[in-house]
């Protein structure tokens, strides 16, 4: 009962936080604000938003353009899709599935690769995905983890009808698994790490590669090119700064913990700064060439195209959605230009405070 | 084994041994299956699942370890490149300011780098223009065009660190890791540090991290396009050898790994053999990834388990054999008394009631043996009693069977018991007679073979339906059968299924009644009825058939026509409800009781020729002549109905009425005429006699003064008066035939002939005539008139005699219907045939008076006399000079017609 009340309270607070973010986004929707959507509960995405909001160089570059950066936290990337469409957000960091859905609804530019990492299926007493037949599995509908789960079931010769899918918040999944309310869940980090850390019976049975992107409204890129370039440069700067030293990485991880607590004050701290730093190192910093978007990623028949077809097959996006529209939203040139001329973009100068 | 009448059966001992054996086998099998595969309902896991699960876990651990090792190796190599790219000597050389000694230092550094880390094939430093500033190891692989292209791309702006997979100079897979070299204050790279490695080299040290079982375990790497990077240990499923960078692996695990999935499952490997597989994805860079697959054959993983199971099975088999042997010994010992009991029981079963078990050693079996022997003795007594009873019952049954057989044979119908296939099982004598064969030969014959061919299949189908149908159903058919002699008979066939209780039918009882004669009678009856119906319908006479009420129950067409009614209107109509006004012959209204049909019913006598008038609503009256005949059944004197026939005599009735009116008129006219004739003839006689008398008186008185002419004229006057007197006399006589005739009375005709001959005796003598008279009958007649008739006819025969011969007259009589024909034949002068027609008229003469005197009334008088007696008279003559025959008919009983 206590757990239920806590879950209810967390849900209400999360809803209020999202609603508050929307309200603030609406209030900040003037011409001087660049509105950045962040996910305090998603790693390593939150590292960027926290570093960028503390980037004084970025603030100065935006101020020179008569603008400022406003951050708006969200529980899930999918919540930001509607805000981009409503023009109450200008920049967002989220996974590949929300990216596909957002590009179908709004004229966006996908400018950078935040990470290429795995969503995982974690469960109790499992040897393989085939053991999930007939069991309850928690998932976030329309998310990258949803796609990973269906891929894993398909590989084991199962379908959605062979299991019971239980929609659930990502943050609640480790606890639901530990309490036996579900036999497994599909989620991205840090939920799998939390479950494996805290639940001795938890075992990871399947993982699927996903990506996260930085997206901007096309209007911002076209109308405020300096601001867009400054934000992209700040993203690169943050990567470089965290790559420079473990101290920098740990510092940003601490900011991420604080952001998580701010966003969900009622919940226990789900993950430590050390875990956040480790995840960020493994999934982002040690990956060469990030955050450039490789052309292979959005080529026909490759992973994003397959995910797009998956969304269509499951009616998550309309059946007449165009892959060409998604593909045309990818704009790797902005980030490549900044990298090529990093000196002028100030990506090797750092001032966080 | 035990053999008895039911065949060979397992003995109790054998069953005991086999039962225990089967129980042990089943138990071992169940335990083995549960051990191997678990009990799903209890949620327990079997050894197979456990082994597979453990192996998958081990594979997962190994895969994770391999992946971490590779990632660590790559991370370290990248870090080394980073250090190398950041070395001050390299930056100086790259900017062209380095000295030769610095280049040597760099070369030494590169060499140390290349040799200090396993797995690197070559390390080199390239200037922006492609010049090799320093190198170590074997740089030959980098000479391939694909490698050069990758190196050129590694120089592109912003591509600080890059990795690429290319085919080396020997088409071997080559991983190229590059790091741009920057000089302080210069934004573009001044050089490139590149290192190459073969993925197989990267993977090689890894199997050592795990203890592999057997020879089927292996790991291999693939690109994101599933191109093989490391060699395989076995051939592909199609038998070919996989070539790195040339062969694409299409297994499910390869797809999963290449597309970024990680996990472990039981999947077919590249040979198509089930394997325990762990698959991983390594992200080397955003645009470069590897798939890694580790696998062990499932058969190999389960081999220890299988071997253990074989050992268990062998041990179980030995234990089972020992158990069966012990069970056999124990069963034999324990079942010996039972077998002795069984043997004794078997002997008793075969009729040896003297069989006994004898004494036993074991307490329970000793008691059982005593009881059995006592029971056997008692059974022997019962058997004797039963045998005697059976003999008596057999005799009774035989008698019963004979009586039943007799009853069956006495039955007037065929009775036969048919088997389900339609063959005859039993048949009685009547059946054999009907089939025209001996009963002893009909057993087993196909009954349906005797039935009419055109209905045979339908009857057989019905027969089978009766057998398969519910209990108690009896079917009836009328059909023809053909006897063995070929004679066709019509029979009414019944059959009913024979069952024992509620069981299936074992046969059917069929009966067949020969209705050939009855059918023929019915046919004749129908034909007769049709004839009578046709006859009745063809009658001009209307016919109505009433029942006893009386109500019309049948009629013919003539009746409908006469009554001008339709059949529905007429049928069912009661006599008392007649819509017409019925009147008698005299026109008086008739009541129902006066109608002929009712009269016949009430009087039980026929009613004949009743004239009834039917007054129709139109006012027209139809006259009918009605006859009614009551109808009786042979055993009842009360009439069951009446048949009335009637003829429409309206036309006749109107004709009769007209005739009556004419007859009455004629009678009145004749009476007047007779009265007139009589009056004239009677009243004329007196003046005529007066004229004749006074003329004769005048002659006598004045004879002297009368000359010859006067006398002659007086003679003429007297002759004329006399002839007139004669004519008046004859006319008077003619008129008196009806008016003054005597009543009819029986009259011997011969007497009348004799009387006439007597009256004519003078003429007969004078003419010398010879008259012969035959046998004459007696008739009813007026004696005087019949004498007068013969007298006139015989007188004419004498008068008109031939001058050449004396007259010969013959009088004969011939019987005729209801009377006599009298013939008077002569040999006189005869008459021309053309003159015969007018001889019977009044005052008709054929000859001059001076030759044959007479008044010409004689034959007219004859005809009148004959007609008064309802007879007819004719005259025949072959011709003049050939005689004449007069024939007249006198009825036996003429009705006197009042004048």
């Amino acid at each position: 009962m206590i757990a239920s009340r806590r879950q209810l309270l967390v849900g209400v607070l999360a809803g209020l936080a999202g609603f508050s973010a929307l309200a603030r986004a609406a209030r900040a929707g003037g011409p001087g604000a660049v509105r950045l959507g962040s996910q305090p509960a998603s790693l390593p995405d939150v590292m960027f938003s926290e570093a960028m909001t503390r980037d004084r160089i970025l603030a100065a570059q935006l101020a020179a353009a008569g603008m400022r950066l406003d951050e708006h936290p969200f529980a899930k990337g999918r919540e930001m899709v509607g805000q981009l469409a409503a023009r109450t957000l200008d920049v967002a960091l989220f996974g590949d599935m929300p990216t596909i859905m957002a590009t179908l609804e709004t004229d966006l530019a996908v400018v950078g690769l935040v990470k290429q990492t795995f969503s995982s299926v974690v469960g109790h007493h499992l040897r393989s995905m085939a053991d999930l037949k007939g069991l309850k599995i928690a998932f976030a509908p329309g998310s990258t983890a949803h796609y990973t789960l269906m891929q894993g079931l398909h590989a084991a010769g199962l379908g959605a009808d062979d299991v019971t899918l239980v929609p659930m918040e990502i943050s609640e999944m480790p606890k639901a698994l530990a309490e036996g309310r579900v036999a497994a869940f599909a989620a991205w980090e840090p939920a799998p790490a939390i479950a494996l850390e805290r639940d001795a019976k938890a075992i990871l049975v399947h993982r699927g590669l996903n990506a996260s992107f930085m997206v901007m409204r096309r209007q911002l890129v076209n109308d405020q090119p300096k601001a867009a370039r400054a934000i992209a440069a700040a993203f690169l700067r943050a990567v470089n700064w965290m790559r420079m030293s473990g101290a920098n990485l740990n510092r940003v991880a601490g900011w991420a913990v604080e952001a998580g607590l701010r966003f969900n004050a009622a919940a226990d701290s789900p993950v430590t700064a050390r875990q956040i730093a480790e995840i960020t190192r493994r999934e982002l910093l040690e990956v060469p060439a990030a955050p450039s978007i490789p052309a292979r990623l959005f080529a026909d028949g490759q992973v994003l195209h397959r995910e797009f077809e998956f969304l269509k097959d499951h009616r998550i996006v309309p059946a007449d959605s165009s892959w060409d529209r998604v593909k045309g939203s990818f704009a790797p040139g902005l980030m490549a230009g900044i990298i090529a001329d990093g000196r002028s973009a100030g990506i090797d100068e750092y001032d966080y405070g | 084994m035990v053999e008895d009448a039911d065949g060979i059966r397992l003995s109790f001992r054998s069953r005991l041994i086999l039962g225990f054996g089967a129980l042990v086998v089943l138990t071992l099998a169940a335990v083995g299956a549960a051990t191997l595969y678990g009990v799903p309902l209890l949620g327990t896991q079997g050894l197979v699942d456990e082994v597979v699960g453990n192996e998958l876990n081990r594979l997962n651990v190994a895969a994770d370890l391999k992946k971490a090792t590779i990632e660590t190796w790559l991370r370290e190599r990248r870090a080394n490149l980073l250090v190398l790219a950041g070395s001050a000597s390299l930056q100086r050389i790259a900017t062209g300011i380095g000295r030769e000694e610095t280049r040597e230092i760099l070369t030494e550094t590169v060499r140390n780098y290349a040799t200090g880390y396993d797995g690197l094939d070559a390390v080199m430093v390239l200037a922006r223009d492609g010049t090799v500033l320093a190198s170590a190891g074997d740089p030959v692989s980098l000479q391939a065009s694909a490698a050069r292209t990758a190196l050129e791309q590694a120089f592109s702006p912003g591509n600080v660190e890059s990795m690429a997979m290319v085919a080396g100079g020997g088409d071997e897979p080559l991983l190229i890791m590059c790091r741009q070299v920057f000089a302080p204050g210069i934004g573009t790279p001044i050089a490139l540090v590149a290192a190459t490695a073969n993925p197989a080299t990267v993977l090689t040290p890894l199997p050592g991290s795990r203890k592999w079982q057997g020879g089927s375990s292996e790991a291999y790497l693939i690109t994101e396009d599933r191109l093989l990077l490391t060699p395989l240990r076995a051939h592909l499923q199609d038998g070919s050898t996989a070539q790195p960078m040339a062969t694409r692996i299409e297994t499910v695990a390869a797809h999963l790994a290449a597309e970024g999935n990680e996990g472990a499952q039981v999947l077919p490997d590249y040979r198509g053999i089930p394997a325990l597989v762990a698959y991983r994805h390594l992200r080397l860079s955003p645009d470069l990834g590897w798939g890694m697959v580790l696998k062990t054959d499932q058969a190999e993983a389960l081999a220890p388990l299988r071997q253990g199971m074989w050992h268990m099975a062998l041990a179980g088999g030995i234990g089972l054999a020992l158990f069966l042997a012990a069970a056999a010994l124990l069963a034999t010992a324990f079942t010996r008394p039972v077998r002795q009991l069984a043997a004794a029981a078997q002997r008793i079963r075969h009729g040896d009631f003297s069989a006994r078990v004898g004494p036993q050693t074991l307490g329970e079996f000793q008691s059982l043996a005593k009881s059995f022997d006592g029971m056997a003795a008692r059974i022997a007594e019962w058997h004797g009693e039963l045998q005697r009873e059976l003999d008596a019952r057999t005799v009774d049954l035989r008698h019963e069977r004979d009586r039943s057989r007799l009853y069956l044979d006495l039955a007037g119908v065929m009775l036969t018991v048919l088997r389900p296939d339609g063959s005859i099982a039993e048949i009685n004598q009547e059946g054999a007679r009907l089939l025209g064969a001996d009963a002893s030969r009909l057993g087993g014959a196909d009954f349906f073979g005797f039935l009419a061919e055109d209905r045979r299949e339908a009857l057989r189908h019905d027969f089978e339906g009766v057998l398969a149908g519910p209990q108690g159903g009896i079917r009836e058919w009328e059909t023809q059968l053909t006897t063995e002699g070929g004679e066709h008979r019509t029979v009414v066939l019944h059959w009913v299924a024979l069952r024992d209780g509620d069981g299936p039918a074992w046969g059917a009882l069929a009966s067949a009644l020969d209705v050939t004669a009855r059918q023929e009678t019915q046919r004749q009856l129908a034909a007769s009825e049709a004839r009578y119906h046709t006859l009745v319908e063809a009658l001009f006479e209307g016919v109505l058939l009433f029942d006893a009420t009386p109500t019309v129950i049948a009629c013919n067409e003539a009746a409908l026509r006469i009554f001008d009614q339709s059949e529905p209107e007429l049928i069912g109509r009661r006599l008392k409800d007649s819509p017409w006004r019925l009147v008698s012959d005299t026109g008086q209204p008739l009541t129902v009781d006066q109608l002929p049909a009712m009269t016949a019913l009430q009087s039980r006598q026929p009613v004949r020729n009743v004239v009834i008038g039917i007054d129709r609503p139109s006012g027209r009256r139809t006259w009918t002549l009605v006859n009614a005949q009551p109808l009786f059944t042979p055993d009842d004197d009360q009439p069951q109905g009446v048949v009335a026939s009637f003829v429409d005599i309206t036309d006749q009735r109107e004709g009769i009425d007209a005739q009556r009116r004419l007859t009455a008129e004629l009678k009145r006219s004749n009476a007047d005429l007779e009265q007139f004739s009589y009056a004239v003839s009677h009243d004329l006689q007196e003046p005529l006699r007066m004229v004749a008398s006074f003329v004769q008186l005048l002659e006598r008185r004045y004879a002297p003064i009368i000359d010859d002419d006067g006398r002659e004229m007086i003679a003429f006057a007297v002759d004329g008066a006399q002839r007139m007197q004669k004519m008046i006399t004859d006319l008077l006589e003619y008129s008196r035939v009806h008016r003054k005739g005597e009543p009819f009375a029986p009259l011997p005709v011969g007497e009348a002939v004799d009387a006439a001959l007597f009256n004519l005796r003078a003429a007969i003598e004078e003419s010398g005539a010879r008259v012969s008279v035959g046998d004459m009958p007696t008739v009813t007649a007026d004696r005087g008139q019949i004498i007068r008739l013969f007298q006139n006819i015989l007188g004419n025969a004498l008068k008109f005699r031939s001058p050449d011969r004396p007259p010969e007259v013959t009088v004969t009589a011939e019987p005729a219907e209801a009377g006599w024909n009298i013939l008077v034949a002569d040999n006189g002068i005869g008459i021309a045939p053309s003159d015969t027609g007018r001889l019977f008229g009044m005052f008709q003469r054929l000859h001059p008076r001076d030759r044959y005197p007479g008044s010409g009334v004689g034959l007219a008088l004859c005809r009148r006399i004959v007609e008064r007696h309802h007879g007819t008279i004719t005259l025949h003559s072959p011709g003049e000079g050939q005689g004449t025959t007069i024939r007249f008919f006198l009825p036996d009983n003429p009705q006197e017609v009042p004048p």
Side-chain angles (χ1 to χ4, degrees), chain B residues 297-621:
Chain B
D297 286 356
Q298 187 180 34
E300 183 181 332
L302 296 177
L305 181 62
R306 192 176 298 114
Q307 188 175 14
M309 288 308 298
W310 276 117
H311 292 161
M312 283 182 61
L314 181 61
I318 294 171
L320 177 63
L322 293 174
F323 180 85
L324 290 178
L329 289 173
L330 286 173
T332 302
F334 283 119
T335 59
R336 183 179 296 112
V338 177
R339 281 184 278 117
Q340 287 178 339
L341 278 170
Q346 191 76 357
R347 287 173 58 196
I348 291 173
R349 180 186 174 192
H350 287 94
D352 181 7
F353 294 98
S354 64
R356 300 293 183 270
V357 177
Q360 296 291 323
T361 54
L362 292 175
E364 291 82 354
F365 285 113
Q366 189 175 19
S367 174
L368 180 61
K370 276 186 178 178
S371 299
F372 181 86
D373 289 345
M375 181 180 68
R378 184 64 181 140
I379 288 174
E381 292 176 13
W382 286 346
H383 177 263
E385 294 172 3
L386 285 173
Q387 188 62 48
R388 289 188 291 278
E389 181 71 16
L390 181 62
D391 292 342
R393 293 294 298 274
T394 301
V395 171
D396 291 344
L397 285 173
R398 192 172 292 123
H399 291 164
E400 183 70 22
R401 186 192 64 191
D402 293 343
R403 280 196 298 275
S404 299
R405 185 75 207 179
L406 181 61
Y407 296 153
L408 288 175
D409 288 341
L410 286 175
V413 298
M414 179 181 81
L415 292 172
T416 178
V417 175
L418 301 179
R419 298 188 185 93
D421 63 355
S423 62
I424 297 173
E426 286 188 47
I427 190 165
N428 67 348
Q429 288 299 328
E430 175 62 16
R433 185 198 65 75
L434 195 56
L435 298 180
D438 188 78
S440 61
R441 289 195 298 105
L442 287 171
D446 180 17
F447 176 73
F448 291 92
F450 291 98
L451 301 182
E453 189 173 353
D454 58 337
R455 303 193 65 185
R456 188 174 298 159
E457 285 310 311
L459 289 166
R460 189 184 294 277
H461 182 73
D462 181 75
F463 173 76
E464 291 169 354
V466 167
L467 293 182
Q471 199 167 13
I474 299 177
R475 304 288 180 86
E476 177 179 305
W477 292 83
E478 182 170 313
T479 185
Q480 278 202 328
L481 58 78
T482 305
T483 66
E484 276 199 348
E487 183 183 358
H488 300 296
R489 312 290 296 176
T490 302
V491 295
V492 174
L493 193 62
H494 295 80
W495 43 45
V496 61
L498 298 173
R499 307 172 193 276
D500 292 331
D502 295 332
W506 54 264
L509 176 63
S511 69
L513 178 64
D514 186 357
V515 296
T516 307
R518 187 179 77 186
Q519 196 178 49
E520 178 61 23
T521 302
Q522 288 175 339
R523 190 188 62 76
Q524 291 177 354
L525 190 61
S528 173
E529 184 178 350
R531 284 198 300 274
Y532 277 110
H533 185 266
T534 303
L535 178 62
V536 169
E537 290 299 331
L539 283 175
F540 180 75
E541 189 177 21
V543 178
L544 289 178
L545 179 61
F546 295 89
D547 61 12
T549 55
T551 299
V552 177
I553 58 175
C555 65
N556 67 349
E557 283 293 327
L560 298 176
R561 175 172 45 78
I562 291 170
F563 283 103
D564 193 17
Q565 294 272 295
S566 65
E567 188 169 343
E569 290 175 321
L570 200 56
I571 298 298
R573 186 182 297 284
R574 293 168 66 90
L575 187 60
K576 68 179 183 181
D577 298 331
S578 170
W580 304 286
R581 180 172 176 270
L582 304 175
V583 299
S584 67
D585 187 19
T586 58
Q588 296 300 315
L590 293 172
T591 64
V592 174
D593 291 337
Q594 291 174 311
L595 297 178
M598 186 62 84
T599 304
L601 272 178
Q602 292 172 346
S603 68
R604 291 181 285 176
Q605 294 294 327
V607 176
R608 304 294 184 199
N609 298 325
V610 177
V611 175
I612 291 179
I614 303 169
D615 286 344
R616 300 183 185 280
S618 63
R620 180 171 171 268
R621 175 175 290 174

